[in-house]
Amino acid sequence: MKLLGLGDNVMDAYLFRGELYPGGNAANVAVLAKRAGAEKSGYIGVLATDAAGEHFRTVLQTENVDISRLRRGVGRTACNYITLDDQGDRAFSGNNGQETVQNLYRPIITSADRMYAAAFDVVHSSIHSGLDDALPALSHCADLSMDFSSDGFTHDNVARLAPLLRFAFFSAGERSEEQAMEFASFAAECGVPEVIFTMGLRGACGISHGKKWHVPATPVDAVDALGAGDGFIAAFLRAFYDNGADAAAAAADASGFAAKCCLHHGAMGHPIAIAESGLFPETEEIGT
């Protein structure tokens, strides 16, 4: 199975630890798919040229993610501020503003990018990557997967993108399983063959070609659940292509992999000290 991550990346700042961790859905899924056993993983996105961006680039290489189509932009890396509750669940408490490379630039998807994408089974992106306009052409190159997160989906945008997608991932957040399945049914009716809702400790549910399924969460003493959802997506996609397209079995595999992602800080590990990143001058207010 070969997966291409397309779009967002960010540094997650654990201010209470004095560390930055590489993150962002598209980048996370590319890295975690390779860890989950994908034959090949690639990433297209824009990294900054600062110390944090260079660290991110090195991490992708270390994780054996192909970055031959990676873009670099002069400027500073986008950063989210992260706090954790007693259960290890994440909470975002701000960011370092709009003057970042990831916010100022978007990759223009070229014919060379599409030729590159055609060598993969699936291209995965996120609704927050802002690359919807590139999806129609990419849909002719490989299967498309989209993460709508818990705050990025509406009836309108799902209906608009559904004809292009093979996979639509959602996070239920505070929604009940009944509410999640109601929206999953809507997405399926719009034409998405594989609809998946992750529900944290309640497991995951979905609809595969009209058939509903549910899998429980794998118990774990979580250190940090930040990368669990992205880990689930990565492992689900790897297993789905390798097991003959059995969504429920893929979700069961993904549940175990996602649990392991909760055993370390950051979505993929590889921290860099905030002091070494150059992102936050001593005079800059970065929260508490």
Side-chain angles (χ1 to χ4, degrees), residues 216-263:
T218 299
V220 66
D221 292 326
V223 172
D224 178 7
L226 181 70
D230 295 346
F232 185 98
I233 293 171
F236 178 96
L237 292 171
R238 194 280 306 162
F240 184 89
Y241 283 95
D242 288 351
N243 74 12
D246 184 331
D253 285 349
S255 175
F257 185 85
K260 294 177 182 177
C261 293
C262 298
L263 298 177

Side-chain angles (χ1 to χ4, degrees), residues 3-25:
L3 179 144
L4 174 62
L6 172 67
D8 60 326
N9 68 80
V10 69
M11 277 289 190
D12 293 318
Y14 287 51
L15 303 179
F16 55 95
R17 293 180 62 84
E19 293 176 327
L20 300 172
Y21 291 82
N25 175 260

Side-chain angles (χ1 to χ4, degrees), residues 147-168:
D147 178 35
F148 288 90
S149 190
S150 62
D151 60 352
F153 61 91
T154 65
H155 287 84
D156 288 343
N157 68 0
V158 170
R160 175 171 51 83
L161 294 175
L164 304 174
L165 304 177
R166 184 170 187 184
F167 306 93

Side-chain angles (χ1 to χ4, degrees), residues 44 68 78 105 115 121 141 158 164 168 175-176 222 229 246 258 283 286:
I44 297 177
S68 58
Y105 304 103
M115 289 178 62
D121 296 301
C141 303
V158 170
L164 304 174
R175 299 171 182 84
S176 67
D246 184 331
T283 57
I286 61 173

Side-chain angles (χ1 to χ4, degrees), residues 142-232:
D143 292 339
L144 295 186
S145 168
M146 175 66 72
D147 178 35
F148 288 90
S149 190
S150 62
D151 60 352
F153 61 91
T154 65
H155 287 84
D156 288 343
N157 68 0
V158 170
R160 175 171 51 83
L161 294 175
L164 304 174
L165 304 177
R166 184 170 187 184
F167 306 93
F169 290 90
F170 304 87
S171 175
E174 298 300 318
R175 299 171 182 84
S176 67
E177 182 173 347
E178 181 180 0
Q179 291 172 319
M181 287 303 295
E182 181 180 355
F183 197 90
S185 296
F186 169 78
E189 290 168 2
C190 289
V192 183
E194 307 292 341
V195 184
I196 304 97
F197 261 90
T198 57
M199 301 183 295
L201 295 175
R202 295 174 292 158
C205 61
I207 300 176
S208 176
H209 292 278
K211 183 178 180 180
K212 296 180 179 180
W213 55 264
H214 175 272
V215 298
T218 299
V220 66
D221 292 326
V223 172
D224 178 7
L226 181 70
D230 295 346
F232 185 98

Side-chain angles (χ1 to χ4, degrees), residues 57-75:
R57 185 190 67 83
T58 300
V59 168
L60 293 174
Q61 290 181 314
T62 300
E63 292 285 349
N64 296 310
V65 174
D66 184 84
I67 55 172
S68 58
R69 301 298 301 172
L70 182 71
R71 278 69 153 170
R72 304 296 299 276
V74 176

